[in-house]
Amino acid sequence: MSGAPETFDVHPDTQGILSVKQKLKEKACKDNVLLSNLDISERMFRHNPLDEAMTLQVKSECQCLKIGKVGGVIYTVSAEDGKTRIDCCVYCDGDAVVDADVKSIYFSVHSCQNQMRSCFTEAKDVVGSKHQALKITCNRFSITFTIRGVPDEIKTIETKCQFKLRYITAEGLLERKCWMQKEKTNRHLIACLDFLIEKYLNTSEYPESNCRFILQGNKEMAEILSESPCTQQYIVICDEYSKVSIYPPKLKL
């Protein structure tokens, strides 16, 4: 992708995004990734109160569109390994990022991968330290709060993938698998979930409470915890050949 983005002076709401898509069709645009990302953007920002206070950038490998001209909040929608990626930049007027700058609505466009401690909570907890720039990464979403000048440094936080279940059951694991299929590209983690689902469906030796499973595959980790205090911990690993193993191999009931 090269050159300046093509700019459209309309609000990035449903009407504005659809008008941009219509103009692209009139130009016989064949960039399916760009058109798909426009559709995703329209659904994402439909009825969103930010649409008049932000600029939207929509990218493919070859093109970049800029919709809107308000520069204080910029969302960028692109594709990564066949999944949607969202990056946001919020410019703050003071000499540091303050609590009032970090609003929950900025985080509302994604599904947080940590059910125990959201990325919004993570941001709120560190914002009092007077950072000039703060970046939170959560799966395929990132948001950066920064002063308008060049910050001395950027405080970076990366969330963990953690699921908390009242009781660990096959149904609960299936629900987490559905989320992971939609939000992640790591088939090795999904293979770990399939392994556990099969065990919970076909055997009675796997605990429903007081336990924690750590899933690991393709350089990424996820955790599944029961609500009750954890007294048992197991590691489920999917290797490069998609073989899944659990440690320790003998579970305690």
Side-chain angles (χ1 to χ4, degrees):
M1 184 172 59
S2 61
E6 186 175 359
T7 301
F8 297 87
D9 190 10
V10 294
H11 290 310
D13 54 12
T14 293
Q15 182 178 350
I17 294 172
L18 291 180
S19 70
V20 170
K21 188 174 181 181
Q22 180 60 36
K23 289 178 181 178
L24 293 178
K25 287 185 175 180
E26 291 171 359
K27 295 179 181 179
C29 175
K30 302 297 184 182
D31 192 332
N32 291 329
V33 173
L34 187 71
L35 294 173
S36 175
N37 285 340
L38 273 172
D39 286 336
I40 292 167
S41 299
E42 187 279 319
R43 292 193 298 271
M44 190 182 305
F45 293 103
R46 187 181 297 165
H47 309 307
N48 192 314
L50 283 173
D51 57 29
E52 294 187 9
M54 58 167 274
T55 292
L56 172 66
Q57 293 188 140
V58 182
K59 292 184 177 182
S60 69
E61 290 185 3
C62 304
Q63 299 184 67
C64 177
L65 307 178
K66 186 176 180 181
I67 305 172
K69 59 181 181 179
V70 180
V73 180
I74 301 172
Y75 280 94
T76 301
V77 178
S78 58
E80 180 181 80
D81 297 327
K83 299 285 187 180
T84 305
R85 176 168 186 85
I86 308 164
D87 297 285
C88 178
C89 185
V90 179
Y91 289 97
C92 309
D93 291 326
D95 56 5
V97 182
V98 298
D99 185 76
D101 295 321
V102 182
K103 299 179 173 66
S104 61
I105 192 170
Y106 297 143
F107 297 78
S108 64
V109 297
H110 89 296
S111 178
C112 189
Q113 68 174 354
N114 194 325
Q115 294 184 344
M116 299 179 64
R117 186 176 177 79
S118 72
C119 50
F120 172 65
T121 300
E122 293 267 15
K124 281 290 193 181
D125 283 351
V126 301
V127 75
S129 300
K130 303 296 182 182
H131 298 291
Q132 291 186 345
L134 170 63
K135 181 177 182 179
I136 299 93
T137 300
C138 183
N139 195 24
R140 288 175 292 102
F141 169 77
S142 77
I143 183 166
T144 302
F145 299 90
T146 180
I147 61 173
R148 292 189 178 273
V150 179
D152 294 334
E153 62 177 340
I154 301 175
K155 170 68 175 177
T156 302
I157 297 172
E158 186 168 353
T159 64
K160 295 180 179 180
C161 183
Q162 291 183 316
F163 303 112
K164 193 170 189 177
L165 303 177
R166 184 175 182 183
Y167 298 105
I168 298 180
T169 62
E171 181 181 2
L173 293 171
L174 278 167
E175 290 175 354
R176 273 57 192 180
K177 179 184 175 180
C178 290
W179 180 92
M180 199 169 284
Q181 286 175 320
K182 180 181 177 182
E183 300 292 339
K184 284 189 173 290
T185 58
N186 192 328
R187 61 182 178 85
H188 292 82
L189 287 182
I190 294 174
C192 291
L193 272 175
D194 282 335
F195 174 88
L196 287 177
I197 290 167
E198 190 272 332
K199 296 298 183 183
Y200 273 88
L201 282 173
N202 296 307
T203 70
S204 58
E205 65 182 49
Y206 279 67
E208 293 186 349
S209 58
N210 304 108
C211 61
R212 174 190 187 202
F213 290 98
I214 301 174
L215 316 183
Q216 194 277 330
N218 195 25
K219 303 177 183 178
E220 192 172 0
M221 294 173 59
E223 296 181 29
I224 299 174
L225 304 89
S226 59
E227 283 190 357
S228 51
C230 176
T231 58
Q232 306 169 63
Q233 178 172 291
Y234 306 96
I235 299 173
V236 184
I237 298 176
C238 180
D239 64 21
E240 59 184 310
Y241 304 106
S242 298
K243 179 183 177 181
V244 180
S245 305
I246 186 168
Y247 303 94
K250 188 172 180 62
L251 277 68
K252 300 176 183 178
L253 296 179

